[in-house]
Amino acid sequence: MPGSTSPTIGRACARPARALRAKTVNARKQSALTVVRAHAAGEDAPSAAKSIAKSLMAIAATACVSAPTLEAFASPVTPMEIGQVAGLEANPITNAKALLRNALPVSNKPIRAIQKKLESISDDLRVPGVKFSGVESSVNGSLKIVKEQRGKIVEALAPGKKADGEQALKELESVLTDFQVVVAQKDKQEVPLQQQEALSLVGRIEEDMIDGFPFDVPAQYADRPLLKGRATVDMLVKIKDNANTDGGVLKIVLDGYNAPVSAGNFADLINLGFYDKMPIQRSDGFVVQSGKPKGGDGFKLGGVERTVPLEIMVQGDKVPEYELTLEELGRYRDQPVLPFNAFGTLAMARREAEPNSASSQFFFLLRESELTPSGTNILDGRYSIFGYVVENQELLRDLKVDDEIISMKIVDGAENLVNETKPAVDQAPIEAPSE
């Protein structure tokens, strides 16, 4: 699992592996990690889970970056269905923008119904030739809701954002009307473009429903840099010795609604220029990691390393859990609002045995839900997720050790950063250098 790049941590990870045994119980009662252990030890794991077990072991081993050898990772877990480790119980959402929409603290049924219908178009796009009957049903259904339940949507808008929300709703109706024409013409190329334009407006309306910040951050963290809302970050990277690309701009959305302390810490460091000119320090096919300064593991303020606690918002909760993993809390089955589902999930790196040791090191996950199904993997509930890459994720595949973060800038939402080390304002978006 992603951890600090300290050699001390590496040596700790290299300790002899504990004995790995598959429990002789009914296969339907075996846990996800039991399957992983069985496969790693060369025992007979269910065929449906073998490839996933191998990949999860590799993800777990990435904490041991400084060790001369990588040992198997083992820790107790609660029993879970084998079908779950194979991701067979559901189709987890893997789109970063959809995950962010779902993570908004909004419960308005009409706008959520529109969102669901428009997102379902992605399934129709996967059908060879596009399933236009499905697209048509979703578009018509969404437009019907806009027209017939406009009042319920407007009523849910926050008073200070009502004008913008009403304008976005008006634009959504227009886009959906145009979308009907696209569907009638069976324009396969235009369908995903119209879908994304409509969903962007849906997300804007949903954000306009949020009145202030939804909860009080616990007192012990209230004076930290906090992101009380969302912020968009441009991250300019330079990729060396690659015939196909010199780099580009990753666009990242930080989610302070669900991780205000983690996102606030990261945004504050961006605002200080901490990550500018910093090299990529790990790239192993599972994660891309950076943020380790020279002369230490994390960011120091006044000579003292500033750390942030583990922070995980659970579905159905009003306030994040702090300091303890969901496993330690006994919440094995609970789902985090921000899961490790999307390629480019952004989370804090930390020392393996110290959940509250995160400081400045961060990582992007490079695997999707087939390897890390929500709620059934060894990452969810153990690491603080605070954002997703929403554009140019493909650049993560090309980043390697010693490539460089040229700069990071907050381009939208800087006003949501409070208790910042220095005043924060939105910067102009970064334009990728022409090739």
Side-chain angles (χ1 to χ4, degrees):
M1 292 182 292
S4 166
T5 56
S6 165
T8 302
I9 305 307
R11 286 194 294 271
C13 290
R15 65 186 180 277
R18 287 173 282 182
L20 305 179
R21 297 179 181 177
K23 296 179 180 180
T24 55
V25 295
N26 186 291
R28 289 177 57 82
K29 297 292 184 180
Q30 287 183 335
S31 72
L33 209 48
T34 298
V35 176
V36 173
R37 293 172 180 171
H39 182 73
E43 300 170 6
D44 184 29
S47 58
K50 281 189 176 181
S51 63
I52 294 175
K54 181 178 179 181
S55 299
L56 289 177
M57 284 301 303
I59 293 175
T62 59
C64 310
V65 292
S66 299
T69 59
L70 298 180
E71 303 291 351
F73 172 84
S75 64
V77 294
T78 189
M80 289 186 289
E81 299 286 339
I82 285 177
Q84 289 179 317
V85 74
L88 302 178
E89 80 288 5
N91 294 313
I93 297 171
T94 61
N95 181 277
K97 292 181 179 179
L99 288 168
L100 286 165
R101 282 190 292 270
N102 286 337
L104 287 169
V106 170
S107 58
N108 182 263
K109 291 183 179 180
I111 198 65
R112 285 302 197 187
I114 294 171
Q115 176 191 325
K116 185 175 181 180
K117 288 179 181 296
L118 291 174
E119 287 176 348
S120 72
I121 291 173
S122 296
D123 294 329
D124 299 319
L125 291 172
R126 296 188 185 100
V127 177
V130 180
K131 184 182 176 183
F132 276 100
S133 60
V135 177
E136 181 178 29
S137 175
S138 296
V139 173
N140 290 345
S142 297
L143 186 56
K144 181 179 180 181
I145 294 173
V146 169
K147 290 180 176 180
E148 296 182 358
Q149 301 190 53
R150 182 187 301 273
K152 292 182 179 180
I153 296 173
V154 171
E155 184 180 356
L157 295 171
K161 303 176 183 178
K162 187 174 181 180
D164 183 76
E166 288 182 320
Q167 178 60 35
L169 189 58
K170 180 179 178 181
E171 292 176 22
L172 178 61
E173 182 175 355
S174 177
V175 168
L176 290 173
T177 301
D178 292 342
F179 205 163
Q180 288 181 316
V181 176
V182 169
V183 174
Q185 295 174 342
K186 296 191 180 327
D187 189 337
K188 294 186 293 184
Q189 304 301 318
E190 192 66 23
V191 167
L193 301 179
Q194 288 289 121
Q195 178 202 26
Q196 292 309 309
E197 185 176 1
L199 281 170
S200 178
L201 289 166
V202 168
R204 180 175 149 193
I205 294 166
E206 290 173 340
E207 289 204 55
D208 284 341
M209 291 178 173
I210 303 170
D211 190 8
F213 195 67
F215 61 88
D216 291 329
V217 174
Q220 62 267 44
Y221 312 121
D223 62 348
R224 307 283 189 92
L226 303 173
L227 187 65
K228 291 194 167 184
R230 286 185 172 172
T232 302
V233 172
D234 281 359
M235 174 177 165
L236 177 62
V237 296
K238 181 179 181 181
I239 297 174
K240 305 172 184 177
D241 304 320
N242 187 311
N244 298 316
T245 180
D246 293 327
V249 179
L250 294 162
K251 193 166 288 291
I252 305 164
V253 172
L254 308 182
D255 187 1
Y257 288 123
N258 294 290
V261 180
S262 302
N265 176 71
F266 190 75
D268 189 53
L269 293 176
I270 291 173
N271 194 46
L272 291 172
F274 177 81
Y275 295 114
D276 296 352
K277 306 298 181 183
M278 185 166 284
I280 299 300
Q281 293 151 345
R282 177 187 297 170
S283 179
D284 54 18
F286 293 96
V287 300
V288 167
Q289 184 168 326
S290 187
K292 175 180 166 63
K294 294 179 180 179
D297 278 345
F299 169 71
K300 292 182 179 179
L301 190 63
V304 179
E305 184 175 285
R306 186 173 80 184
T307 59
V308 291
L310 182 68
E311 181 178 41
I312 301 166
M313 180 71 86
V314 177
Q315 290 182 13
D317 287 3
K318 299 297 184 182
V319 180
E321 294 281 11
Y322 287 95
E323 300 187 0
L324 298 175
T325 67
L326 295 191
E327 181 181 3
E328 290 169 331
L329 291 166
R331 304 187 67 173
Y332 304 100
R333 295 277 187 170
D334 290 345
Q335 304 284 321
V337 173
L338 302 176
F340 279 98
N341 277 14
F343 185 95
T345 299
L346 174 61
M348 295 302 299
R350 61 172 176 82
R351 299 178 181 92
E352 179 189 359
E354 301 176 47
N356 305 306
S357 61
S359 176
S360 58
Q361 295 190 48
F362 65 92
F363 67 94
F364 297 104
L365 186 72
L366 301 188
R367 294 295 185 184
E368 294 186 357
S369 61
E370 288 79 4
L371 299 179
T372 56
S374 180
T376 63
N377 62 73
I378 56 178
L379 299 180
D380 278 338
R382 296 189 180 198
Y383 289 85
S384 303
I385 297 173
F386 58 97
Y388 295 96
V389 180
V390 296
E391 291 182 18
N392 295 330
Q393 294 98 322
E394 66 278 0
L395 287 171
L396 292 171
R397 299 183 191 277
D398 295 312
L399 282 171
K400 57 189 179 300
V401 173
D402 290 333
D403 285 341
E404 189 175 39
I405 299 170
I406 300 298
S407 65
M408 282 199 216
K409 295 184 184 299
I410 300 173
V411 299
D412 186 50
E415 71 279 3
N416 295 324
L417 180 61
V418 301
N419 304 331
E420 65 269 37
T421 305
K422 75 171 190 177
V425 296
D426 290 345
Q427 303 293 312
I430 300 175
E431 293 187 12
S434 56
E435 300 194 12

